[in-house]
Amino acid sequence: MTVVDTPLELSSGNGSTSRPFGVFARPTGGPGWRSWLTTVDHKKIGIMYGAAALAFFIIGGVEALLIRAQLWAPRGTLLSADQYNQVFTMHGTTMVFLVVMPIGAAFANYLMPLQIGARDVAFPRINAFSFWAFLAGGLFINSSWFLGGGADGGWFMYAPNSTVTFSPSNGIDFWNLGLLITGIASLTGAVNLIVTVLNMRAPGMTMMKMPVFTWMTLVTQFLLLFAIPVLTAAQFLLLFDRNFDAAFFDVSKGGQPLLWEHLFWIFGHPEVYLMILPAFGLVSDILPVFSRKPIFGYTFIVFSGVAIGFMGWGVWAHHMFVSGIGPVSVLVFSLATMFIAVPTGVKILNWTATMVGGKISLTSPMLFCIGLITMFTIGGLSGVTHSVAPADTQQTDTYYIVAHFHYVLFGGAFFGFMGGFYYYWPKVFGYLLNEKLGKANFWLMFVGFNLTFGPMHVLGLQGMSRRIYTYDAGYGFEFWNKLATIGAFVLASSIALFIFNIFYSKVKAKSLPKPGPDPWDSRTLEWMIPSPTPEYNFDPIPTVTRLDDFWYRKYGETEDGRLVRIAATEDVTQSAEGEHNVHLPSPSYWPLVAAVGLPIVGYGLIFTWWLCLIGGLITAGALYAWALEPADDPDAGHGAGHDDHPVAGAAPEADLVDADADAGTGAGANGEGADAGTNGEGVTEREVETVG
Amino acid sequence: MFDPEVGANVEVAHPTHDTNTGISNTKLGMWLFLGSECLLFGGLITTYLVYKYPLEGQGPGPDQLFDIPFTSASSFVLLMSSLTMVLAVSAIERGDHHRLRSWLVATALLGSAFVAGQVYEFTAFLNEGLGFTTSRFSSAFYGLTGFHGVHVTVGIIMLMSLLLLSLRGRLPEHRSETVEIVGLYWHFVDLVWIFIFAVVYLIP
């Protein structure tokens, strides 16, 4: 914090000539698209995560439609077997790594700092880097379509099928290197968001007063923090095998394919939970609003989430019941899998109990949340049957599994995200999405979803295999496949309706009154501030006294427990009017530049070595420039009045800048070895004399 | 601390951290990152344990190759570098910039000696017929120890960057935490080596 004001001295003193390393002036941002490239604002980064994820969602959706079109009738000829392998692999990879995970990151980035009353995340520049690295990795993976074809080994990329012998094209290299890059993004993001939750809560906001979404974000990011490196280790082995002829999965040299399976699923099962928990968090915050009741059993909801986070590490081998892991392992993992259904069941129960006796209003966010509860319950029930190993050996590799995980990931996670989109749209963009279209959107999606994935249960029980590009007539598969394909196109039209709604409502919003800070009469802190959220979030930073603090600023209870309004919403929300002299971290070029180097290294590893050097130099150079650039722009956002210092225990804006100035440490540790993050202007002339 | 009354910054040797945990963001971030690194090395160590012995007739195995006295000596060198790292942190906390630089150089040199020892060892093994692609053991061995060597090298680069900053006068006492955080990374890399040394070299 001592650093924060040194730029003031420098600007009036010797200026940049006295600090040769500090030549990298920070960009000033400004309006237009350039401000998005250099932004370190968690809200803009959150929006970019969401927009990029939706773009990838369309790509992954087209791949899904290709799969369903191919399976419309027996002996389909739309795709060859090889193309089909590529399409289903890339569909899975895209939906998991480039859609569901980043939408979770989008909500976490945008909402979590608002829910805990913070000005930004702990390391704003690392946050920008995480996004750009994610985007770079996603584009890198998808560029494989134009450079020899996509990966074809399934999203789990089992060995030895993933070795050069069985997959000689570069598709798997793109998959591998691209996911290493998005892994760096997830890891830096996880460090950033965990530190933010643990360190930067507003005064009075203890852990047990945090909204459930923030709790689930914390659990999710811890899962990422520990799961991603396991995948990274496995991917290094694959990288060395494919690109440097190592013997990790070379069966002729004693390489064990089972090792890949273990490493992949030790990552892969926590991955499942880190995809669903953000949606659980959203639902837990939305349901109470539209039931006008507090969440039932807040502590239970929170700790069942934490329990899922812990137990998620002990169930990975249920993906491997047919891999020959031995009866003891099968027994242990069967039992563990049965137990993990308990905390999940607790959540379902709590959500239901939240609605019981509440004044329910069936708005579109609420519909999507109820959709999640019902659809996830179906997916969860079919999931828990897989814990019975003999049943699982019958169902594994059939469409029954495909049905199960789409019910939890689409019916669970994605329905929750849709609810989140409808609920938070006014907060983020300043206008409400049209309710009628929203409800139509829900029903279309609900019908399309069940029409697509419901029949897959039947197909699976009839014995239709996954990952096979076609099927013969006469096994009874035709009818159910046709139904699923029709469903997939209904589902696609519901997404089109959502996108239409975005633009339609934006046009219509011009003639409608502004939604105001709190259009839904909500409970959590983010609804206390103007919509769309001002750049500085809160001014002043609120002091929190209890769970759902904002709600209890509006409502009190009579002696017999009835709700009474004690303050008008306008009186307890903050206003964007007037002067807000809040010191915010300056934008920076370097996160973007550092991220751009990564895919160049990737292309170098695949095609020609000298590109590695160029990419490595770009990234390393950017990390040094990052660490050495001035912490702050001396002229930006410095008003006279810092009237909003929180009382205690929070992170005033000074901390933001200080923390970020040291951010080089975290980034440097990514293996690039940038220096320890001392930033450019830490020392004035006076200090040089004393130390030199 | 920025003091709105005075309007200037009041420098303190040990900045207080107005965070909920009392730990600065950067330090907490480094701890979390190191937690994640544990799993990364965990994956690689597991791989080594699975592939500890090559298949019959596929090049030399660990019992024919390892020179335990030599590796013990280089391990000792690496462990001593943790001591010099602690002395470097203590020097800057006392404001002794000369000693800070000396100890940073000493730490970097000890680290370099360790890496040099590793390069020598790899060369010797290569001459005895253990290429990276020879067997599952060779891939796992070079993969794990090489990965650790890269971590030490990254640490050396961080130490040299600190030295450069200090020489330029950009590492005043109130930034001593930066040195401490690099130290955390350095100690972690040493600690991981203790595990690797025990698992790879000592346990038969």
Side-chain angles (χ1 to χ4, degrees):
Chain A
M1 276 172 300
T2 49
V3 206
V4 64
D5 290 291
T6 33
L8 285 176
E9 285 180 45
L10 284 166
S11 62
S12 59
N14 293 322
S16 58
T17 47
S18 68
R19 41 193 180 113
F21 280 165
V23 289
F24 307 106
R26 295 186 74 148
T28 47
W33 58 272
R34 277 190 204 87
S35 71
W36 291 85
L37 296 182
T38 57
T39 188
V40 294
D41 178 358
H42 73 96
K43 297 179 290 296
K44 283 188 168 177
I45 292 168
I47 292 170
M48 288 197 290
Y49 261 116
L54 283 180
F56 285 123
F57 182 67
I58 291 170
I59 295 175
V62 169
E63 286 156 1
L65 292 180
L66 283 173
I67 295 173
R68 286 317 318 167
Q70 163 73 13
L71 296 177
W72 166 254
R75 296 273 156 194
T77 51
L78 181 68
L79 299 171
S80 69
D82 181 37
Q83 285 167 334
Y84 185 83
N85 287 348
Q86 294 176 27
V87 167
F88 80 71
T89 301
M90 292 294 281
H91 166 72
T93 305
T94 304
M95 288 306 190
V96 169
F97 292 98
L98 307 181
V99 178
V100 176
M101 284 170 74
I103 293 182
F107 281 112
N109 258 294
Y110 197 100
L111 293 179
M112 183 272 287
L114 299 182
Q115 288 197 327
I116 61 172
R119 281 273 154 71
D120 206 318
V121 292
F123 308 104
R125 286 185 295 176
I126 292 185
N127 202 24
F129 172 78
S130 302
F131 167 73
W132 293 117
F134 148 70
L135 186 64
L139 293 176
F140 179 82
I141 296 175
N142 277 288
S143 72
S144 64
W145 288 119
F146 309 104
L147 296 165
D152 54 2
W155 84 283
F156 40 81
M157 215 52 75
Y158 272 5
N161 199 28
S162 59
T163 52
V164 181
T165 323
F166 300 104
S167 181
S169 84
N170 283 324
I172 292 181
D173 298 315
F174 277 102
W175 179 89
N176 198 24
L177 293 161
L179 290 189
L180 280 171
I181 296 170
T182 59
I184 293 172
S186 299
L187 186 62
T188 50
V191 169
N192 203 349
L193 296 180
I194 295 172
V195 172
T196 307
V197 176
L198 293 183
N199 259 358
M200 300 181 66
R201 282 166 280 125
M205 170 79 73
T206 58
M207 295 296 272
M208 293 314 283
K209 288 178 193 147
M210 298 195 310
V212 180
F213 176 76
T214 296
W215 258 111
M216 292 307 110
T217 298
L218 183 65
V219 175
T220 301
Q221 300 302 324
F222 263 110
L223 286 174
L224 270 175
L225 185 75
F226 294 125
I228 288 289
V230 182
L231 177 66
T232 304
Q235 287 188 292
F236 272 120
L237 306 186
L238 182 61
L239 175 74
F240 287 132
D241 258 19
R242 286 188 61 92
N243 302 60
F244 303 97
D245 296 324
F248 291 112
F249 304 115
D250 182 345
V251 183
S252 69
K253 287 177 178 163
Q256 300 203 7
L258 207 56
L259 176 69
W260 171 271
E261 288 189 32
H262 277 295
L263 290 175
F264 186 85
W265 289 117
I266 289 174
F267 150 79
H269 207 80
E271 166 80 14
V272 171
Y273 291 108
L274 70 87
M275 285 193 279
I276 190 70
L277 286 178
F280 281 4
L282 287 171
V283 171
S284 308
D285 283 352
I286 298 172
L287 277 178
V289 170
F290 296 109
S291 308
R292 297 187 71 78
K293 270 177 68 187
I295 186 87
F296 180 87
Y298 168 83
T299 326
F300 267 91
I301 286 262
V302 166
F303 280 106
S304 62
V306 176
I308 289 174
F310 275 104
M311 293 166 75
W313 291 91
V315 295
W316 79 84
H318 68 215
H319 295 269
M320 300 161 56
F321 282 155
V322 291
S323 300
I325 53 175
V328 177
S329 298
V330 168
L331 182 68
V332 168
F333 283 100
S334 280
L335 288 174
T337 307
M338 288 173 195
F339 278 124
I340 203 168
V342 175
T344 319
V346 166
K347 279 181 182 285
I348 304 274
L349 185 85
N350 282 4
W351 292 327
T352 316
T354 303
M355 288 191 286
V356 170
K359 274 166 70 183
I360 294 176
S361 47
L362 289 174
T363 57
S364 30
M366 184 67 169
L367 284 175
F368 278 108
C369 290
I370 297 172
L372 180 149
I373 298 171
T374 48
M375 294 302 101
F376 184 85
T377 305
I378 296 176
L381 286 175
S382 67
V384 81
T385 61
H386 297 148
S387 68
V388 183
D392 182 74
T393 48
Q394 293 303 310
Q395 293 151 0
T396 202
D397 281 340
T398 69
Y399 266 84
Y400 193 79
I401 303 282
V402 181
H404 156 69
F405 66 69
H406 281 96
Y407 265 83
V408 290
L409 281 180
F410 199 118
F414 203 79
F415 270 70
F417 292 148
M418 287 299 291
F421 285 140
Y422 274 92
Y423 181 63
Y424 281 109
W425 207 268
K427 180 54 60 190
V428 178
F429 297 103
Y431 66 92
L432 281 155
L433 291 174
N434 184 293
E435 266 298 297
K436 269 193 189 134
L437 285 178
K439 282 177 186 158
N441 185 358
F442 168 75
W443 286 111
L444 204 56
M445 186 175 273
F446 188 80
V447 170
F449 167 79
N450 281 295
L451 208 53
T452 312
F453 301 110
M456 291 187 188
H457 290 113
V458 184
L459 283 171
L461 292 176
Q462 285 178 332
M464 181 167 163
S465 293
R466 299 167 71 179
R467 309 184 200 112
I468 306 285
Y469 78 112
T470 192
Y471 53 92
D472 260 332
Y475 289 92
F477 299 162
E478 291 94 329
F479 172 72
W480 301 110
N481 269 307
K482 282 200 169 46
L483 221 52
T485 303
I486 293 168
F489 282 88
V490 175
L491 203 50
S493 65
S494 77
I495 300 294
L497 185 62
F498 173 60
I499 294 168
F500 172 74
N501 195 0
I502 293 173
F503 294 103
Y504 175 81
S505 304
K506 189 180 169 83
V507 173
K508 285 281 167 187
K510 285 177 188 139
S511 55
L512 292 171
K514 295 258 176 259
D518 184 25
W520 307 111
D521 203 4
S522 307
R523 315 177 71 89
T524 39
L525 278 186
E526 68 271 26
W527 299 100
M528 201 173 149
I529 51 179
S531 307
T533 317
E535 204 184 351
Y536 50 82
N537 297 356
F538 293 91
D539 190 23
I541 292 201
T543 301
V544 178
T545 52
R546 58 190 295 183
L547 182 68
D548 290 340
D549 194 77
F550 177 52
W551 177 262
Y552 292 106
R553 291 176 191 224
K554 295 184 287 186
Y555 293 96
E557 273 174 16
T558 57
E559 273 175 22
D560 53 345
R562 274 188 316 121
L563 215 55
V564 282
R565 199 173 247 284
I566 52 172
T569 307
E570 303 82 67
D571 298 336
V572 289
T573 51
Q574 297 186 352
S575 163
E577 322 245 302
E579 191 129 345
H580 293 278
N581 286 313
V582 178
H583 183 124
L584 293 167
S586 297
S588 172
Y589 303 109
W590 304 115
L592 174 59
V593 179
V596 163
L598 298 175
I600 298 178
V601 175
Y603 287 117
L605 279 168
I606 294 176
F607 295 113
T608 156
W609 278 86
W610 54 266
L611 272 178
C612 289
L613 189 70
I614 295 176
L617 283 177
I618 291 175
T619 298
L623 289 179
Y624 267 93
W626 171 331
L628 293 173
E629 73 183 340
D632 220 342
D633 182 340
D635 302 321
H638 258 295
H642 280 256
D643 56 342
D644 57 344
H645 277 265
V647 191
E653 68 278 19
D655 248 9
L656 278 179
V657 179
D658 186 26
D660 193 37
D662 281 299
T665 317
N670 277 324
E672 308 302 333
D675 84 315
T678 318
N679 73 322
E681 77 326 306
V683 177
T684 60
E685 285 300 301
R686 173 173 48 78
E687 283 163 336
V688 174
E689 280 162 29
T690 56
V691 297
Chain B
M1 292 283 280
F2 180 81
D3 187 346
E5 300 295 319
V6 186
N9 53 320
V10 185
E11 308 240 319
V12 284
H14 292 276
T16 50
H17 296 291
D18 284 354
T19 60
N20 299 121
T21 55
I23 306 169
S24 80
N25 288 346
T26 341
K27 198 191 274 185
L28 188 59
M30 181 49 100
W31 276 114
L32 291 169
F33 171 72
L34 295 180
S36 163
E37 287 272 280
C38 291
L39 273 285
L40 189 64
F41 278 104
L44 293 172
I45 291 173
T46 310
T47 305
Y48 179 82
L49 286 173
V50 175
Y51 293 159
K52 199 169 164 82
Y53 296 101
L55 289 189
E56 202 73 32
Q58 289 184 341
D63 29 353
Q64 290 125 290
L65 289 168
F66 289 158
D67 180 357
I68 290 178
F70 175 81
T71 317
S72 304
S74 73
S75 305
F76 181 73
V77 167
L78 189 64
L79 289 187
M80 281 306 104
S81 75
S82 266
L83 177 64
T84 54
M85 188 71 231
V86 171
L87 291 169
V89 175
S90 139
I92 190 170
E93 280 175 352
R94 281 179 287 111
D96 188 341
H97 293 267
H98 280 291
R99 287 236 161 77
L100 165 71
R101 286 168 213 156
S102 311
W103 290 126
L104 284 179
V105 171
T107 312
L109 280 178
L110 288 170
S112 309
F114 172 81
V115 175
Q118 200 168 40
V119 171
Y120 167 78
E121 190 186 41
F122 282 11
T123 323
F125 289 176
L126 194 63
N127 290 336
E128 288 179 56
L130 192 80
F132 180 60
T133 61
T134 306
S135 63
R136 61 180 187 181
F137 159 70
S138 73
S139 293
F141 171 78
Y142 286 124
L144 173 59
T145 54
F147 210 76
H148 179 264
V150 169
H151 272 76
V152 178
T153 312
V154 168
I156 295 170
I157 294 171
M158 287 159 113
L159 290 169
M160 298 317 285
S161 305
L162 282 184
L163 180 69
L164 210 62
L165 286 168
S166 172
L167 287 171
R168 295 267 178 182
R170 297 158 150 255
L171 208 54
E173 287 98 292
H174 67 79
R175 294 201 141 269
S176 67
E177 199 185 68
T178 309
V179 183
E180 196 187 336
I181 287 166
V182 174
L184 281 180
Y185 175 82
W186 190 261
H187 297 313
F188 170 78
V189 171
D190 282 7
L191 192 67
V192 168
W193 180 254
I194 297 179
F195 278 98
I196 294 178
F197 181 56
V199 166
V200 174
Y201 292 87
L202 297 184
I203 297 173

